[in-house]
Amino acid sequence: MHKKFHLNMRKNFTVQAECLSEISNTAGPVEAREELLDECESIWKQMEECQSKLMLLGTETLLPPDAKLSLLMLQWKALTVDFRRWQARNPEVISTNPDVLLELGKEELQKVKNDLEMVLSTVQLKNEQLEEDLKREQQWYEEQKQTLETLNKMEDEANTEVEHPSTKSLKTRELNELKNKVLKLKTYKEELLSALGEFLDEHFPPPEEGENIKEKNSLAEPVVELITLQEILEMLMNTLLTTPHEPYITINESFWPPYIELLLRYGMALRHPEDPNRMRLQAYHK
């Protein structure tokens, strides 16, 4: 047992000395390595002297067999405890050289840094997972909230139907609302046409009677009445709305040429690309 413990202790010191010698070779001068090896050798010599003294003390006193056996058992237990304690313990660095201590400190700091980086990455990954879980929970909450609101709305409508049995059904109400919208649109259309007529009567009065065009072949035939600008615009709008696939109207003698030139010049109307006697309203609604 003494021999085995002796060999293990020498092995631990040798490994420690080699590790520190490598550090000192890479980072410090040669003197640091030699100093560290001298310290290890000195400590090892002290341990050998202590071990030899213990061996001499064990052989000097002659004890009875039972007492000697008990003493040996106690020594064996004590050495076993020491052996386990030394095996579980990392060898301490015994050096006063600043270069060696600096490198050992750098190594320990690097280990701590690596451990902290690993912990940081683990925490960040955990935070990302928690954020994803939170988003899913919030989405589920919104869906449940919308479902609950829809159910409450349906329940309120059902209660209203039960409380007021004379109320019309949903389709009837929608039809009435659509009819009201159509009436409002018709009224709005009439108001727009009326406002347009007033504007055109004020700024674009009808052509005078002297400007009406007579037939060239016979003087007995009645003159051709020129239509107003409002009538031309109404014809263009009605044709565009009723037949959008064929929105052109034919220009005849009742169209006063200055009105036609006015509509074309200001981009309110467009001529047919193949027939100059036809024109259409500019599609402002597209």
Side-chain angles (χ1 to χ4, degrees), residues 85-148:
R85 182 165 58 86
W86 279 101
Q87 276 200 334
R89 180 181 177 184
N90 293 327
E92 296 181 357
V93 179
I94 303 174
S95 177
T96 57
N97 189 284
D99 296 329
V100 176
L101 296 177
L102 178 62
E103 287 302 320
L104 289 174
K106 288 182 179 180
E107 184 179 356
E108 290 298 326
L109 289 177
Q110 186 65 34
K111 290 180 181 179
V112 174
K113 178 184 175 183
N114 295 335
D115 294 339
L116 292 177
E117 289 178 351
M118 186 179 299
V119 173
L120 178 61
S121 62
T122 304
V123 172
Q124 289 177 348
L125 181 61
K126 187 66 176 178
N127 289 338
E128 292 177 359
Q129 293 177 354
L130 291 175
E131 289 179 357
E132 293 178 358
D133 294 339
L134 179 61
K135 288 181 181 179
R136 286 195 297 268
E137 291 294 334
Q138 288 178 347
Q139 184 178 2
W140 178 84
Y141 170 75
E142 294 295 334
E143 292 176 356
Q144 296 298 322
K145 184 178 179 180
Q146 292 179 0
T147 304
L148 183 60

Side-chain angles (χ1 to χ4, degrees), residues 275-286:
D275 188 359
N277 293 324
R278 300 177 66 191
M279 68 176 183
R280 55 164 292 180
L281 186 68
Q282 177 65 270
Y284 292 104
H285 62 287
K286 292 184 180 180

Side-chain angles (χ1 to χ4, degrees), residues 200-215:
L200 293 177
D201 290 340
E202 181 180 356
H203 298 282
F204 300 94
E208 298 179 359
E209 295 183 356
E211 294 175 346
N212 293 337
I213 302 175
K214 299 182 179 180
E215 294 290 336

